[in-house]
Structure formats: C-alpha cells, structure tokens
Amino acid sequence: MITSRKSLQMALFFLTTIVSLARGDRYADRLFETEERILGDRDGLSSVIVYNQQGDQACPCLPSNEYLKADYNFMRNVTVEMLGPQINASDYGIGCKDHDVERPICRTKSDGCLTTIPTPLDCSTSWCTREWCYVDPGNCGRQYSRSKMFRSMYYSYATCGYMDLFTHQTRFNDLKGKTFNIALNANTGGWRGAYNPKGSFTIDQYWTGPIYRFIERAAEKGQFQMNFVKPPESLKDESKEFYGISSFDYCVYVTVLGYVDFCVSAYTITSERSATANFFHVLSDPIYMIAFKSKHKSSWKIFGQAFGTIFRPFTRSVWFFLFFFLFPVLGILMLFHEYNTPGGTHSSTTWLMVIDNNTNQRDVRSEPIPWWKHGLTAIYMSYLAFFQSGYNQSVFTLGGKINLLAMSSLIMLVLAVYTANLAAILTQEYSSTGVESLEDAIRENYIFCASRQIVENVISVHSELTPDRFVPDPVELGGDGRFGFTCPKCNARERVFDFMSLSPDKDPSLYCDAALASLEDLEVLHGRGLHCDKVRVGDIIASRSVGIPIFDQKSDALISFFQKIKNEGVLDKEMQAAMPENVCPNSSIGEEGNPLSMQQLTGIWMIAFTFAAMGILAKLLQPCSKRRQETINCKKKIVRDLMMNDQWGNPSSHSVEIDGVKFDRDSKKLEATIRRG
C-alpha cells in the first residue's frame, strides 16, 4: 500500500509540474489540492480518482467546482431555485453523470406534453438521462457548449459519449418570442419560391408561394415574429461589386453582414454565395432539356419509333426469354403430360385416306404422328394461349392440370404487367423532338438558350458543352453579351422559351434550337396554356441546390428548426397545394384515359397485319402441301388427312367430306355421299 501511495504521489507530482509549466499556477493549485485529498483520505480515494479519470482524454472533466467557492451561496440558491432541491450543488457537473435526472422538469410533464400531437418543442426531455460534465474549453477537443446558468462554465456531453440534445432543445426554446428581421425577394419564374406582383422587398400582405408559406408556418410553430424590412440602399454598390447585380445577390449580401436575419425566396446556392453565407437547403431543382414537339423527323424514323413502342413494356432479353424459352418449354411439358392420353389432343396416331390413282380406290388407314409435329403443335398452342389470354384446350392428366396452372398464372401475370406498362407508356406525352437526349442535341450541333446560372451549372457537369453553344445575353436589354441570359430588363427564365425557333435560317445570336431550364418554369407556362408545343426531353442533365440565406449568428437555431419543420411534411404540403395544373390541349401529364393516335398504335397494326399476311400466304401454298406422294409397290397413291382438328386440336364438329366421300369418325369408314344437282 505504501508503494502504491508513493507511486501515486510521484505521478501527481510530475503531472502538477507539467501542467504548471504549460497552463499556469491556477490549474496547478487545483491538482495540489486534489493530491492532498487523495493522500489524506484513503476512504475517498476511489471516488476522487473516478472524477479525475472520467471523460475522454481529449476533453477531460473538471476535477471539482471549488473555484466557484466565492459564489457558493449564489450557486446554492440558483440550484434550489432552478434545478430543484434534489440537486447537490457541490458535485453538480463534476464527472460524467446524469446530473439533471432529479430536476423537476425531468420528473414531471405538463398535460399539454401528454395530449398534444405533434409534441411541443419544449416537451422533449431525453437530455435528462444523458451524462455530461463541466470541462475546460481550452483543454477540450470534443464538442462543448457554454452554460446558460453559469456563464463562466462550459459543459460537454460528447466527452461522456452522448449527443448534446440539451443544446439542441434550448435552441428551439430560444426562438420563442424572438423577432427576426427578414427581407423578401420575388422570384421571376417557377412556382416553388416566393412571389409578389409588386416585386422584391415589397412590404404588404400579397406575398404568396410555397416557400413563403413554409416560413409563415415555421413562425407559427416556433412562436417567433417576423419583421419585414428593406435592405439599406447604401450597400447596393458594394453588393454588385462582390456578388452581382441581381436583387437576390443583394439580399444574400446584406444577410451575410447581419443587416437582416434571413431572406425569403428560392435562392440558388452558388459556390460564391455558399462560401460566405449559411443556407438552409430547401430543395434540389432538376435541370432538363426542353425541345419542340414538332421537330422534323423522316417518315421512316417516325414509323420505326412508333412500331417499337409496342415492345417497350419489356426489355429485349425478357421478350427472348418468354418466346424462345418459357412458352416453348411449358408447351413441351404439356405434350409430355398429355401425349397419347385417351381423348387428349396429342394422340399418337392419325387417320388417313389413301387414294389409288390407277383404280381410284379409297382406303382408310392409321398412321403414327411424328414427334416433331407434336412438338410444333405444342409450342404453337403455348403461343396461342398467350395471345388468347388462356389455354383453352382440355387437359386430362394430373401432371397436365398442374402444368396448366403454371401456364395460366404465367399468362395472367405477364399480360397484366405488359398491359399496365404499355398503358403508362402510351399515355405519356407523345413527342417527336428529333433528339432523345442532351448528347444527341450536342451531336446535331444544337444552339441552346439558358440563364447564366444554369449555363455555369450544366457546363461544369457536361464538359462537351462550351459557352459558344449558348445564345448570348442581349446587350440592348442590359446584358453583358456573355453566354447565358442574366439581363435585368428581360425575364431570363421565360426568355429561354420565347426565343426557341424551328427555322433553319434563324440567327444563332438571338434564337436557339432547345432550352436548358428548370422543369418548374415549363410547368408554370403550361399552367397558363403557353408554350404547349414544348416538352421535356430525356433525363436530368444537372441539378442545382435551392435554399434560404441566414445570418451566421442566427443560423444554428433557425436551420435546425426549419429542417425539423420540413421533416414533418410542412414544405411538401405547401408544394402540393401550389403545383400548377397543366391546361395545355392534348396534354397527357397527370391525366387518365387520354385518346391514343393512329401513329402511337402502329406496332399493334403491324403485328395484326403481319399475321394476316402470313395466313394468306399459307392459304396460297396449301395446294402444294395438301397432298403428299408416296410410292407403294411402285404405284403412286395420294394420302389425305381425315382427322380435321381446330387450332386447339379439337375434332371438327362438321362431317369430313373429301372428293364426294364422307369419313365416319366412329366407324373409321368411308361412306359415299349423294350429290344433288
């Protein structure tokens, strides 16, 4: 025991020396006091050591709060008043413990917390059972926060391995009753931002738009006030020099400087803006290529595209698997089960009539049916079952009946999936744009219209696009003549559609073949019945982030709160309510039961006509194959098939009469017929 006490004393001596050299005498004094308590009290040795060793090494807990002895009475009174009588002021915050578990706020909940849905923000008390301790901010490499009760103290949940939900909770509570100065920008396009007929920074009650409504709902839920303000005019020149000339750049600029707490609108989060401002991310805005519906194509290209539509519900591999494996295998399996079954379709023999050409004598005889004929018949029946939506042939064996379940279920499911997918494809808006993707447009040397921000975004993603492929900003409308529209005297987001042209002799400095734009811009125009001859083409070619700039000193609480409200579906609800309805004629977006054109159904017509033509060809070739010659005893005889079955192998319900002779199926004999004339 003496040895261990000496070792402990030596360790504390070296630790005290190192700390005094590195940190100063104040921390060294605390360690000397700790050493005295350890060596002077064997019974308290373990508890004191636990306090000194708790917390992560990168952020150790403070060993005691004795440096608050001068304020002990104050601390004790505050503890009783704010933390409750169950809290011991002498060890509150010392060592990793659930120090708040006995606080009244943690032990009881108001009736509103138990009955209100969703639960009010100030009702969450999960932080009560989490461990924390006071730490030295100058010696903490983990997350810590400043105490709201004791401003000279800092606490950390992270050093004890817990998330700091207390700070998270107090952030929300601090929003209550606060007033935030906000500025409003009016978006010039789309439908998902903030809008006012009088323009940006207008202070009235006519603001609309889902993002504006979302902020209103957030203020209601967070119980804070919004004071609409106009940014100071004195900062406009500095904003132009730093960001740009738009009013949106101006609002971001004054937010960064703290003249407003946040701006409300749909702001593109550019690299320049995000480098200086904090943003709450609202949504991602997809960028598409927009082209004319009626872009010219050759008639053969239109025909090929329309014919291929009928096969689009399944991939090529699925079609091959169905028609060259699955249906043939099920047909052969049916032959395996039903072969030579009494009364079944696949009889092993057939009855033939043999006519002697020399004597004209007619005989009836039985002949085995080759296996290859059975196989072709079985495969044909499986194909026919698919096209007729059911296997209508009688099945007698147990194995055949079970196999029939496999075939019937396959046909039902395949046809159901095919029909649903084909209907979805055919009811999509039909467009013959001449190109199917941005890559096609680039290969055909298209000229594009786009706003400046979208051009910069798209070029960064698609290196094959160069600035000279875009219509320049019109100088006569206040533009700078560079690629992409940003002119202050033109509505750039609508101009990209106005200056699309199909004319082969158009001026490429004014007009373009296609536009690169946000889909919401086209949706707004279609909602007003404008530019209905233009459609989205291909997949997303780029995406830009849209958010709200927030002043740095207010951003932590507001961003956390806005994200919480967004996760509760408030923003989605506002978006759904504001989405414009497409009023363009013959629009198929979001509609049901749209009429289909003759051209869209080309594949159906071609398949039906192809089978009809094959039937006519078979009829023309039938005389060549109806009779087959065989030599018996050096005499030529004609062999005629007497078993006339339908497409499913069922016997004909009519009498079989050949060359004036009727065949009796029951007696298997020929009977002369009486011709009446």
Side-chain angles (χ1 to χ4, degrees), residues 314-330 382-383 386 410-411 414-415 418:
F314 297 142
T315 62
R316 185 179 303 175
S317 60
V318 172
W319 284 117
F320 272 87
F321 179 73
L322 287 175
F323 281 92
F324 293 97
F325 178 76
L326 203 53
F327 286 126
V329 167
L330 290 176
S382 67
Y383 288 153
F386 173 74
L410 173 68
I411 293 172
V414 168
L415 289 180
Y418 174 83

Side-chain angles (χ1 to χ4, degrees), residues 105 110 113 119-125 127 169 172-173 176 223:
I105 191 176
S110 64
C113 294
T119 304
L121 295 175
D122 55 355
C123 290
S124 176
T125 56
W127 51 270
Q169 183 64 38
F172 293 163
N173 294 338
K176 288 184 178 181
Q223 301 178 31

Side-chain angles (χ1 to χ4, degrees), residues 181-188 194-208 212 227-237 239-240 243-255 259-267 273 549:
N181 294 324
I182 71 169
L184 298 166
N185 268 127
N187 288 109
T188 57
Y195 305 93
N196 190 299
K198 296 181 181 179
S200 295
F201 309 131
T202 301
I203 301 177
D204 60 21
Q205 69 275 25
Y206 299 111
W207 283 94
T208 60
Y212 174 76
N227 179 36
F228 295 172
V229 299
K230 292 183 178 180
E233 291 290 331
S234 59
L235 299 176
K236 186 171 291 186
D237 293 337
S239 171
K240 292 180 181 179
Y243 280 133
I245 61 176
S246 75
S247 62
F248 289 81
D249 289 328
Y250 180 33
C251 204
V252 174
Y253 185 82
V254 296
T255 301
Y259 287 88
V260 298
D261 293 317
F262 60 94
C263 295
V264 177
S265 193
Y267 296 85
R273 292 173 178 176

Side-chain angles (χ1 to χ4, degrees), residues 124-162:
S124 176
T125 56
S126 61
W127 51 270
C128 293
T129 58
R130 296 174 182 266
E131 297 182 1
W132 61 275
C133 69
Y134 287 127
V135 296
D136 173 16
N139 186 33
C140 184
R142 300 291 180 257
Q143 192 271 338
Y144 62 87
S145 301
R146 190 171 187 173
S147 173
K148 293 184 177 296
M149 289 186 297
F150 311 111
R151 301 302 293 173
S152 61
M153 303 289 287
Y154 295 83
Y155 64 89
S156 173
Y157 284 85
T159 190
C160 300
Y162 287 88

Side-chain angles (χ1 to χ4, degrees), residues 298-316:
S298 67
S299 58
W300 281 109
K301 191 171 184 179
I302 295 175
F303 173 80
Q305 183 184 36
F307 176 73
T309 301
I310 202 69
F311 301 102
R312 286 175 58 191
F314 297 142
T315 62
R316 185 179 303 175

Side-chain angles (χ1 to χ4, degrees), residues 15 79 135 138 208 333 359 467 540:
L15 179 60
T79 302
V135 296
T208 60
L333 287 176
T359 63
I540 297 174

